[in-house]
Amino acid sequence: MKVATEIRDDERALFQRELDAFVPSVVFDAHAHLYDQSQFTPDSFAWPQRDDIPARADLTEYRRLAGLMLPGRRLDGLFIPMALDGDPATVNGFIADQVRGEPRCRGAMVVRPDMDPDYVRQEAGRLRMAGLKCYHFLSKRSGPGASDPTWEREIPEYLPEPIVRVADELGLTITLHMVKLRALADAGNQQAIRHYAERYPNMRLILAHAARGFNPHHTIEGIAALAGLRNVWFDCSAVTDCGAIEAIVETFGHERLMYGSDFHVSHFRGRCVAIGESFLWLYEDSVDWSTAMQTDLQPILVGLESLRCLKLAARHTHLTDAQVEDVFYNNAARLFELT
Ligand SMILES: [Zn+2]
């Protein structure tokens, strides 16, 4: 799979037909990754992608590429390193450099589970970070490539409580892409989120990917367990089914939902489909698209598929235009105190 650096005519036409009237003129992208490939090492999980993605995706390149998908929109966001397993000082410093002088942009720094909380506190202050980003992969106990899958990790294994305490002290967001097979339908995930949210009320938790709702049934099943939490938000990045987004709006109200692209994932072509108790990403080169009998089938940008689902969810939950503007900008503006 390759990151699209140009948009096809059929994709442009689809945007105009289905999405142009839906997407507001100002957008805050609550989940977008920036990087420079010099941050990758042969051990890093991003390394195998290096030939398929631009050498550097800084804020300028993000705005150029995201602007192909969202033409004419003012684009700001919460930016997260892509090289999550790169040198923390380097990748976090890169994000800080990108958002400095951008009053409507914010940065999230990578935190590794073994980081000293004092270091996190100092770096967040020094780099003026608005948020933290944890990742299950960083809880790997042995060397990269070793057989230590992290997809079943409990949240405290990659987001230890002392780091949550720092977020609470500093009023930081934490972008959490939870794992385990059943995601939000998993009792361990529910308990950890509730515990952190209730014990650390000044920490603001952003449950990425509609609470990892790539299989919407998990978010639909589990979201009631989080009802009433006052410091939990959701981004809908890279979600290509509408059920999880609807469940969020129904349980938490549209004020807790934020648009996110998951750039650069938004610029792969394909989509995610729920299958059984899990999900599968279908990419340009992972499926034989010619087996579609009825037409010359071409996958489109993940980001466009995701926007279509957000639109459908907005329609099913009867959001007004003003509420859609909240999802795309105002909810984030309140959370991040944008001026
Ligand atoms: Zn992401």
Side-chain angles (χ1 to χ4, degrees):
M1 64 218 189
K2 269 197 172 340
V3 157
T5 53
E6 288 179 19
I7 188 165
R8 294 190 314 250
D9 288 345
D10 62 299
E11 291 170 319
R12 196 174 291 115
L14 184 146
F15 181 86
Q16 283 166 4
R17 192 171 61 242
E18 294 189 21
L19 297 167
D20 201 21
F22 171 69
V23 179
S25 58
V26 297
V27 172
F28 185 93
D29 184 342
H31 187 140
H33 297 273
L34 304 179
Y35 63 88
D36 185 292
Q37 286 208 23
S38 64
Q39 299 158 0
F40 300 0
T41 68
D43 292 339
S44 92
F45 60 75
W47 184 257
Q49 295 186 33
R50 66 195 185 285
D51 294 333
D52 296 328
I53 61 178
R56 179 180 168 93
D58 57 13
L59 183 59
T60 303
E61 183 69 348
Y62 161 82
R63 283 185 169 136
R64 186 181 79 80
L65 292 174
L68 295 174
M69 187 174 83
L70 297 168
R73 270 62 178 180
R74 191 185 77 190
L75 295 167
D76 298 291
L78 175 66
F79 295 96
I80 303 169
M82 178 191 169
L84 298 173
D85 54 356
D87 171 55
T90 304
V91 299
N92 292 332
F94 177 76
I95 294 293
D97 288 345
Q98 295 303 309
V99 301
R100 191 173 295 124
E102 293 280 344
R104 292 182 302 270
C105 291
R106 296 290 184 271
M109 62 179 271
V110 170
V111 286
R112 309 181 72 106
D114 56 359
M115 266 180 186
D116 180 348
D118 288 334
Y119 172 83
V120 176
R121 187 183 296 107
Q122 283 164 19
E123 283 295 273
R126 185 178 73 83
L127 298 172
R128 302 175 69 88
M129 288 292 183
L132 308 179
K133 164 70 176 173
C134 56
Y135 200 53
H136 66 96
F137 191 86
L138 301 175
S139 65
K140 229 169 177 34
R141 295 185 187 109
S142 38
S147 56
D148 178 25
T150 56
W151 294 100
E152 289 298 318
R153 288 279 195 272
E154 297 289 350
I155 290 168
E157 293 183 89
Y158 52 97
L159 179 63
E161 187 152 350
I163 289 178
V164 181
R165 194 173 298 127
V166 172
D168 185 57
E169 283 169 28
L170 302 181
L172 303 174
T173 59
I174 300 177
T175 298
L176 171 64
H177 171 169
M178 76 183 84
V179 287
K180 299 187 78 178
L181 177 65
R182 302 187 71 244
L184 193 57
D186 182 277
N189 283 338
Q190 294 169 4
Q191 285 158 13
I193 291 166
R194 185 162 271 283
H195 170 72
Y196 283 165
E198 288 179 339
R199 183 138 189 211
Y200 301 100
N202 199 37
M203 172 273 302
R204 286 86 75 84
L205 195 57
I206 303 172
L207 299 180
H209 314 302
R212 218 292 293 271
F214 293 133
N215 183 323
H217 305 287
H218 297 150
T219 299
I220 293 166
E221 181 182 327
I223 196 148
L226 306 188
L229 295 177
R230 301 169 65 87
N231 50 341
V232 174
W233 281 257
F234 303 83
D235 75 53
C236 62
S237 60
V239 169
T240 59
D241 258 312
C242 59
I245 302 169
E246 292 164 12
I248 289 163
V249 172
E250 286 163 358
T251 305
F252 278 85
H254 80 280
E255 296 91 344
R256 304 294 188 85
L257 177 67
M258 296 186 287
Y259 169 70
S261 69
D262 207 11
F263 176 85
H264 65 296
V265 174
S266 55
H267 284 54
F268 290 130
R269 290 190 168 102
R271 66 173 292 175
C272 186
V273 292
I275 296 177
E277 202 58 276
S278 189
F279 55 87
L280 180 68
W281 278 93
L282 310 178
Y283 289 117
E284 216 165 1
D285 58 0
S286 67
V287 172
D288 181 1
W289 299 91
S290 71
T291 58
M293 287 180 292
Q294 72 283 14
T295 182
D296 177 20
L297 180 60
Q298 296 229 50
I300 64 170
L301 297 182
V302 168
L304 289 175
E305 296 281 16
S306 184
L307 283 164
R308 290 170 112 179
C309 293
L310 180 57
K311 180 185 170 186
L312 198 54
R315 179 178 156 154
H316 289 163
T317 54
H318 309 289
L319 297 192
T320 64
D321 288 353
Q323 290 172 325
V324 171
E325 289 173 4
D326 290 345
V327 170
F328 275 93
Y329 189 82
N330 299 322
N331 296 341
R334 271 189 287 276
L335 177 58
F336 292 106
E337 296 171 8
L338 307 182
T339 50

